[in-house]
């Protein structure tokens, strides 16, 4: 097993995070009836997207000026994801929203420990990586893993009211370089990292997505909780573990309130939407 | 006690800093009577927010072009904070203000020395971290601390005329890395840092808020003083202590004049508001 | 052979990547007939560009808010490239598109191993670099290489539906510095890098272009595949090889769907275009 | 004397640099008479500001697209500074100017050598820093220094035609860290730095202002000269001294032509204003 | 001779690079006759600037979206440079151009080897730097050099069709720091750098300008060639020399086509201008 071995991953549904700011001045100029009509049309589309059985969407009201609204779309293919983006862009409401950022990624289950186990087993049987026999055995094992974890690959949206989203990288510095660490060392650090995560397991649901090759950071992290202070506690505590203290690089953080499509009108009319539960 | 132990914190009210620039050209085009009406409506909302018993707001006139106006909202929940943002956004005045930045955080009392003390005591009694007994004893102790410090958790706004706001991080470099230092070492550095702060205790009131998981820096710092030169003296002197010289990373600084809601009209009409006292 | 020897390269057609966002609000205000007319004129120009025998163009629908549309123009000269840019800018459709980034480069075949071989041979014959005899022999050899590889220098656009584009640099840090490594060491690392690339050879077609002296990064990379997950797998796996882990610096990533000119109207009307095949 | 001792400083008038771009398209649309009226009103305000006995303002025509106009306001208090900003913002001309940056700071005389001398003397008398006796003696000494240098604290604007402005920091790297150097070492480096400055003393007048706690860099530097090539010679030569080569970090540079209020109209009408002398 | 000695330089004409994007939507709305009138007026001004005997201007059509048009003005004084900027800004065409960047600098001939020679000679005669005798002898020598090189100080614009412009710095890192290297070491590295430059001497004409104290990078580089691939070859090869690999920092690159004033109308009407020769 090479030191530079990349971990195996299971990749599931594609994700698009879309952020928007409301053009309040323009919106306010519309007659109330017109506003209601545009909001209802948007809520109707969003309600359909919420209920999709295979890859749904959800809406989040964002705190602060970075965005007013964030949509997270999960879809089985990039074409479906593009069509979701097009459908929302096709709403008349969109003339009153301005783009405030987006993120393209794919649900990713990292299998560090499994990688070591599978490679050890296959190499124990005398198979060499990048040979047809090895690749076939590996593909069979990955198919088993995919079947076992399929429930976590489609990004079912956790029904919790608070949402935190941020992208991250593993550092490639001139001294500290995640990608130059050996696969066993990386696996140990990820295990330690996972221990903290599991301690918060009941309080936070997380969806990790990979974006290497798709967007500007390497991963996206979505956290869902019933109490927002848990976001701070979890991320702060993790910052002291080795995988994060030396190797974690964190992008902009967004925090907000998940709400259901039927609350979109209230948000646009200046109310805080009822929390999703 | 693990070297990588995260400090205990007490978390209080949530904060939103909202910055705005006045669209002077558009504002000037309004009739004086209309301007007066919009300013009065805004001042009325702000006056109510100033007087909230549980989590108030204050207004600051900013020097320079980064912003003309900064609002700081303290609220007990994220929903309350979102509603404050929505209420201000719902004013007709907002059509004449453009967003110029924001910051989401939560009042945080860091308890480095207390962390060492509590962990030492509990470990002295033979309790191990992350066991039910330890967690129960810790929760009881934290409840006592919370009760003892509750006055400092709701962010009562200091009645001083000058305000300085900036966000900051602790460095995670390839050599110098706050999060890789042992908890005792971090605690010592924070104590030294605190000594300087206390020397300025009479001249400056400060509110530290945590924003890990909420916004792009790790902490926000609000300073309030009766003489603005004290901001420079304090921040400059602290820059030489070890916690800051090697580990402090500082974001953009804003400085301005706190004023009460009744002065908002004067600010909008081109006067410097009477200072808050 | 000097340690600081630059690798020989074969340079082919010039490339311009142009990214655009659709001004949806303005576009929507047009009558349907007018929209159809503008889209048809643009599709007509694009169709001609797609069919150019010597340096064509292709169109990509981008995921997320970075851009809606990316064009890639390959042309034999900078003047031709400029005229392509001017022709597209001259469309009435352009009033409904806003610029969202661009990239200027030239198809580049890096010849690290060939460089070592040629220099060794010529020096073996007693020729010294930067002398007339050496330069003449080198020029003859390069002409042979150019003839041998000419099919790969004009950037024939791979007929695969998914496209990934990103720019990159080789790091020039204070410790890790690609340009200060000896030519043999660089050649070895590029060979290792190429081994991974070749394992993905059937799944991905790539076009490398050089942009030193032309744009802000040193290279542009265009990947074309039949399954977009391959972009992530390839780029992730490569990130662990030495040429990338220590020396690769990566710019923003764009991912999208290649489509043919005849689908442009559908894209503009809010549909996901049929995939190019 | 602690190694981490911060240098004593004398702080004088507050400064605001305001930069603007002319909205030429809008400006040109006005009738000439209207333009003349707006320019005269602005020139009138500026003329009054130029003549203020206690903290004046000056105007600079900037080269390049970063700004067309820079104002530098010196005022005894932050309120006065805010009122200057408000007064200029209240001009009708401001509808034809767009903000292009600003900088808030305070005239600062750094007293490195004096700091060592005073601390040595007081410690020689057996006084300990941060005790009442020490603080009293220090305050008396600082009052004497303030009296001695008061002419340099109010920022009298040098009557020279060329102006260069830039902000700067002292580096806090992971290896090279100004704030972690001992006070004697810092003092030596500042002395060496001052020697170069004094060699240019006749050719350049400089005003150093401190902005820690007020704006995003630590200091602002304004240089005034009779020949602009001197800016380059001075800053280039200084870049090789130790205080700058290892520790200086420089922000954006602006260079321009100082002019008097009566020339504002000519600037706005497309002429280069007569140089201030 | 001090190790920290700054190299002597000869400074010539001042330069302003001005970049613009065409507001195509607005431009297209004009009647053809009006467009022709505005283009002719601009071409007329530009033609006069092209023919100035003492400090001319030239125009470049830029590839990609960074800019459509770059002007380079050479003028003997900053006032002349400002007037050039004002004259172009005064054109009605400017309402259809938006600023896209600028750069202020001064033609600079670096004299590293000459510096060593002069200082050695003068010190050999027993003269000490920064004494009146030394300064007098140095001034006389510099006057001779200026006379000798005067043809290269006024920035005569090379009549070659392709232009590449980029700004650069010498690195001041924590380990690798150009400004902390001794003057002899710096001189050696510049000599090695110059050897490569001279090998390309027939293919490329270059103008180096200094911008320390004037703009945000330390130097600007303008390259002019008959074949644009030479820009890439030259800059790539130089990147491996020590002065560049460890110490060069490069800003954004622009590449384009030089054209004469009479072609401006064609550019604005959507054609690629005939190349300047």
């Amino acid at each position: 097993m090479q030191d530079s071995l990349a971990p195996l991953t299971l990749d599931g549904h594609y994700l698009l995070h879309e952020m928007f700011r409301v053009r309040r001045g323009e919106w306010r100029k519309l007659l109330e009836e017109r506003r209601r009509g545009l909001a209802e049309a948007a809520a109707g589309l969003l309600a359909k997207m919420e209920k999709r059985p295979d890859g749904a969407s959800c809406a989040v009201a964002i705190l602060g000026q970075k965005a007013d609204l964030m949509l997270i779309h999960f879809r089985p293919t990039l074409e479906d994801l593009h069509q979701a983006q097009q459908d929302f862009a096709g709403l008349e409401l969109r003339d009153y929203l301005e783009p405030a950022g987006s993120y393209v990624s794919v649900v990713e289950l990292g299998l560090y420990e499994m990688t070591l186990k599978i490679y050890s087993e296959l190499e124990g049987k005398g198979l060499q990586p990048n040979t047809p026999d090895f690749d076939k055995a590996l593909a069979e094992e990955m198919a088993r893993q995919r079947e076992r974890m399929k429930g976590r690959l489609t990004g079912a949206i956790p029904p919790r009211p608070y949402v935190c989203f941020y992208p991250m990288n593993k550092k490639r510095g001139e001294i500290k370089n995640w990608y130059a660490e050996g696969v066993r060392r990386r696996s140990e650090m990820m295990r330690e990292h996972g221990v903290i995560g599991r301690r918060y397991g009941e309080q936070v649901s997380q969806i990790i997505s990979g974006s290497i090759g798709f967007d500007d950071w390497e991963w996206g992290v979505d956290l869902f909780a019933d109490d927002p202070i848990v976001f701070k506690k979890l991320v702060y505590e993790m910052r002291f573990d080795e995988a994060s203290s030396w190797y974690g690089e964190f992008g902009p953080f967004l925090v907000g309130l998940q709400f259901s499509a039927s609350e979109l009108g209230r948000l646009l009319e200046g109310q805080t939407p009822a929390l999703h539960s």
Side-chain angles (χ1 to χ4, degrees), chain A residues 3-255:
Chain A
D3 251 15
S4 65
L5 187 65
L8 300 168
T9 61
L10 291 173
D11 302 298
H13 276 22
Y14 290 90
L15 278 81
L16 175 64
H17 287 74
E18 291 193 281
M19 281 69 95
F20 299 99
R21 280 194 208 91
V22 179
R23 290 186 167 126
R24 292 177 190 282
E26 300 305 306
W27 179 247
R28 222 190 303 274
K29 277 180 203 148
L30 299 180
L31 293 179
E32 194 189 332
E33 193 176 7
R34 171 92 169 123
R35 294 203 306 265
R36 196 178 319 121
L38 296 192
E40 278 172 10
L45 174 64
L46 203 50
K48 266 191 236 155
M49 289 180 165
E50 282 178 350
K51 290 181 211 122
R52 281 176 54 102
D54 184 28
S57 300
C58 72
V60 184
I62 296 294
L63 272 290
Q65 292 175 0
K66 290 179 187 168
D68 291 308
L69 174 64
M70 174 169 73
L71 301 178
I72 318 178
H73 306 293
F74 295 82
R75 294 294 185 277
T77 70
L78 269 196
E79 299 90 291
D80 292 334
L81 204 59
H82 189 262
Q83 190 62 63
Q85 168 180 340
Q86 289 279 63
D87 288 346
F88 197 76
L91 290 169
E92 284 185 277
L93 177 66
R94 260 300 294 277
D95 294 352
Y96 303 92
L97 299 179
E98 65 183 29
S102 66
Y103 206 76
V104 180
S105 55
V106 64
V107 173
E108 176 183 308
L109 301 180
L111 304 174
Y112 257 107
E113 298 195 42
M114 189 63 66
T115 302
L116 294 187
K117 192 164 157 282
I118 296 175
Y119 268 70
S120 295
E121 281 176 17
L122 296 182
E123 291 182 10
K125 292 177 187 166
L127 300 177
Q128 289 304 313
N130 302 315
T131 59
D133 285 355
F134 187 101
D135 289 351
K136 180 158 170 288
L138 180 57
E140 287 167 7
E141 181 58 37
M142 289 303 282
R144 270 191 296 276
Q145 296 295 337
R146 170 170 284 275
E147 183 59 26
R148 189 171 67 91
M149 304 213 197
K150 70 183 169 189
R152 292 171 55 198
L153 285 167
T154 52
I157 296 161
R160 294 182 134 170
Y162 300 98
V163 181
C164 169
F165 170 67
Y166 61 95
M168 60 169 293
N169 283 342
K170 287 299 189 195
K171 187 183 284 190
R172 293 184 304 108
E174 296 191 70
I175 300 168
K176 292 288 180 179
N177 186 326
W178 178 260
Y179 293 90
E181 294 287 349
V183 65
R184 287 190 172 79
R185 187 80 190 80
R186 281 181 273 129
S187 180
E188 273 167 35
M189 289 190 275
M190 289 310 288
R191 189 163 44 79
E192 179 201 5
H193 189 68
V195 166
I196 299 176
R198 274 192 293 280
R199 268 215 307 282
Y200 283 86
E202 288 183 23
Q203 294 166 275
V204 183
S205 311
Q206 75 169 19
I207 297 174
I208 304 293
S209 53
S211 42
I212 291 180
F214 298 139
D215 217 317
D216 300 355
W217 296 79
E218 297 174 341
W219 288 275
V221 179
D222 286 282
L223 305 177
F224 298 79
D226 298 327
D227 182 351
I229 203 68
V230 174
F231 298 144
K232 176 163 164 284
K233 286 182 185 297
L234 169 62
V235 181
Y236 193 25
E237 187 170 342
M238 278 187 166
R239 200 149 290 188
F240 290 94
D241 71 33
E242 208 175 349
S244 301
S245 63
W246 287 113
Y247 298 106
E249 292 180 337
F250 303 98
F253 281 78
L254 287 175
V255 68

Side-chain angles (χ1 to χ4, degrees), chain A residues 263-276:
Chain A
E263 291 287 311
L264 180 62
R266 277 168 50 80
L267 177 72
L268 292 167
E269 290 304 308
Q271 298 303 307
T272 289
L275 295 188
H276 189 87

